[in-house]
Amino acid sequence: MANGRYEAGQSLNDYVDMLHSIYGSTQNYAKTKADVYQHLAEVCGIAGKHLFKKNDLETAARFIPKIFGWACALISAVSPAQTNSEDIILRKFPGVCPYCTARPCSCWAAEKPTLNEKSLENHFYRNAPRQARGINDLELMFAEIYGHTWTGPDGSQDPIRYIYLRLIEELAEVSEALRFQHIYPQNFQNEIADLFGWWFALASVIRSRRVDDTLTSELLWKSYPGHCLDCDTAPCFCAQGPVRELMSKPAPGALGETDRLTSLRNQGAYEHDIEAYQTLNLKLAFPAACVRMDVDDFKKVNDGYGHPAGDAALKHISSVIRQKCRPRDRIYRISGDEFGVLMPDTSVDEAYGVMRRVVSALKATQVIWTSQDGVSTSFPISMSIGVAECADGSSIKAAFEAADAASYVSKEGGKARVSKAPFDGQQE
């Protein structure tokens, strides 16, 4: 679980919060509202292709969670303060049709009455506190209000086709609301509520037609089980977008966790991550390798070439570590010349191989530093490295301590080498 409180039967607000905690600071950190909307439009379109062009209900069903996930991401992008998503829906649909204020709706086949905002507000305060807010509960609410309308005005249309067309219509309304949000900021909430309404309808009908009659909450949880399915971790450790990877820029809001010189995660982030994984607040794929690295003879660099040259050496080292580690590995500058790496789903032998490549790359490439007067100097740099393995979150701190001790073994053994810690992954 992402922070120990997420589960399959959770509320809509919890899903929005969970998805933001997993992907917001990594995969979605640089995406604008328009970017997120484009992803939402894409997955809606792909779902339609499988529904109607390929007649593949099972594949289409896999895109139901994706539509939901990007709709939640859009709410987070528009309202970074995490607007109450449940209230957005229930203010528009407070257990009744917003136009005739009936359940089931009695006005759907005729001209819609004028929306009475005062009456709608009264229904919200009367009904919303009692409304269960789980995914299945909200799906049931929409089915009870509008289920009899899902075959179209004449009652003869295929519900999936009719609902999907209405979903796409609302997708267009959301686009318009985004374009004019600076003029009518509240209209986005109105339109996203409508979009969710038709999403719940589509999920309900598709679920009823599948051989595997999985509840919608279970379908969502299979796609978003409190962590990223690809890297089995929360927050997501997957490769970042190419712009961020090339620029090595921290995500907005992560400056306090980022080392200013190298753009690696800093000592505070290192300590926070160890504590979080050790107390089981975050999910990590085990076994995990813990690596500690110490620059050899760094004082000689600072004394012989000056501190600016030392800074250039640290940047060079950071670049080499990034190149040899996977994007999903977390790399830290722990102190002045000490580094660490947390490698999920990695054995001590695998980490040993990666760190050997780091040592080789440092031997093959010297640091190039240009002084303020334009004189270029090159000099070698090396590191002594220790690696250890941990089997679960409770032993992660001990594994890093063992790796640190192993780095001293490397230093005492001649420097520029890697040592495995004699550590069995269990906390003593």
Side-chain angles (χ1 to χ4, degrees):
M1 294 184 183
N3 68 0
R5 68 184 181 89
Y6 299 123
E7 58 186 9
Q10 66 194 3
S11 70
L12 176 63
N13 278 354
D14 284 334
Y15 262 108
V16 174
D17 178 69
M18 181 191 79
L19 290 167
H20 187 67
S21 71
I22 297 172
Y23 301 109
S25 63
T26 56
Q27 301 305 312
N28 296 341
Y29 85 96
K31 288 185 172 67
T32 65
K33 293 178 289 186
D35 293 330
V36 175
Y37 176 82
Q38 288 169 3
H39 279 282
L40 175 59
E42 287 172 13
V43 294
C44 286
I46 295 171
K49 177 180 72 174
H50 289 290
L51 282 172
F52 308 117
K53 185 177 181 180
K54 297 191 174 183
N55 294 314
D56 186 349
L57 188 67
E58 292 305 309
T59 300
R62 295 205 293 268
F63 285 87
I64 294 300
K66 293 180 182 294
I67 295 172
F68 175 87
W70 283 111
C72 290
L74 186 59
I75 289 177
S76 296
V78 171
S79 304
Q82 299 286 309
T83 299
N84 189 318
S85 306
E86 297 160 12
D87 280 1
I88 289 176
I89 291 177
L90 292 175
R91 283 186 178 278
K92 179 68 183 287
F93 302 99
V96 296
C97 169
Y99 299 97
C100 63
T101 62
R103 179 173 177 169
C105 169
S106 61
C107 70
W108 67 279
E111 189 72 23
K112 285 183 180 179
T114 302
L115 193 146
N116 187 325
E117 293 187 1
K118 182 62 177 177
S119 176
L120 198 61
E121 185 178 22
N122 290 340
H123 277 82
F124 170 76
Y125 286 114
R126 186 184 306 120
N127 298 338
R130 299 194 302 271
Q131 172 65 48
R133 302 186 178 203
I135 299 300
N136 297 332
D137 300 309
L138 292 172
E139 179 185 314
L140 179 61
M141 180 192 78
F142 279 107
E144 290 179 348
I145 299 172
Y146 293 115
H148 62 297
T149 75
W150 292 344
T151 52
D154 60 4
S156 63
Q157 297 189 42
D158 172 21
I160 289 183
R161 183 175 296 274
Y162 179 72
I163 291 168
Y164 180 79
L165 289 174
R166 295 302 304 270
L167 178 74
I168 297 304
E169 178 186 350
E170 294 305 333
L171 185 66
E173 297 285 351
V174 169
S175 176
E176 182 182 50
L178 288 174
R179 283 198 303 118
F180 293 103
Q181 190 190 7
H182 60 294
I183 302 175
Y184 308 109
Q186 295 302 315
N187 198 37
F188 169 77
Q189 296 187 6
N190 176 64
E191 300 302 344
I192 199 70
D194 287 342
L195 182 76
F196 268 107
W198 288 109
W199 177 84
F200 276 111
L202 186 63
S204 181
V205 174
I206 287 180
R207 177 179 61 80
S208 69
R209 292 194 182 181
R210 296 181 66 211
V211 175
D212 177 14
D213 188 16
T214 304
L215 293 175
T216 302
S217 62
E218 295 170 356
L219 185 66
L220 287 180
W221 189 250
K222 286 181 179 179
S223 295
Y224 304 115
H227 57 87
C228 172
L229 277 180
D230 293 323
C231 65
D232 200 31
T233 306
C236 171
F237 265 31
C238 292
Q240 311 302 334
V243 173
R244 179 179 174 188
E245 197 65 27
L246 289 171
M247 297 176 66
S248 301
K249 298 293 185 182
L255 288 174
E257 301 176 346
T258 304
D259 177 62
R260 292 182 180 275
L261 178 66
T262 63
S263 290
L264 300 178
R265 294 175 69 78
N266 63 17
Q267 183 180 34
Y270 170 75
E271 294 172 350
H272 171 270
D273 287 353
I274 290 177
E275 176 66 21
Y277 288 116
Q278 182 154 306
T279 57
L280 304 181
N281 284 336
L282 298 177
K283 182 175 173 58
L284 192 68
F286 291 100
C290 300
V291 181
R292 287 292 298 260
M293 319 164 83
D294 187 70
V295 181
D296 296 325
D297 301 318
F298 190 60
K299 187 175 186 300
K300 291 182 180 179
V301 174
N302 282 331
D303 291 347
Y305 300 100
H307 287 280
D311 289 346
L314 295 174
K315 291 180 180 180
H316 174 75
I317 288 168
S318 301
S319 176
V320 170
I321 298 172
R322 278 198 185 93
Q323 291 169 14
K324 300 305 175 184
C325 289
R326 304 166 301 180
R328 66 189 289 186
D329 299 329
R330 289 203 166 182
I331 309 170
Y332 309 89
R333 183 187 176 197
I334 298 172
S335 65
D337 62 343
E338 295 182 16
F339 295 78
V341 186
L342 175 58
M343 307 175 73
D345 194 23
T346 305
S347 69
V348 67
D349 291 327
E350 291 171 319
Y352 178 80
V354 173
M355 292 303 121
R356 286 286 300 273
R357 291 192 286 275
V358 169
V359 168
S360 297
L362 288 173
K363 286 182 179 178
T365 57
Q366 292 197 338
V367 179
I368 299 175
W369 170 66
T370 303
S371 66
Q372 288 185 340
D373 56 9
V375 178
S376 292
T377 304
S378 62
F379 54 88
I381 199 76
S382 67
M383 301 187 80
S384 296
I385 303 175
V387 296
E389 181 180 317
C390 64
D392 55 50
S394 66
S395 60
I396 195 167
K397 183 176 181 180
F400 268 115
E401 291 172 350
D404 189 39
S407 72
Y408 283 97
V409 172
S410 293
K411 197 172 287 289
E412 292 168 359
K415 304 174 184 177
R417 61 183 60 197
V418 185
S419 299
K420 298 178 189 177
F423 183 65
D424 64 3
Q426 300 300 318
Q427 190 175 29
E428 297 181 358

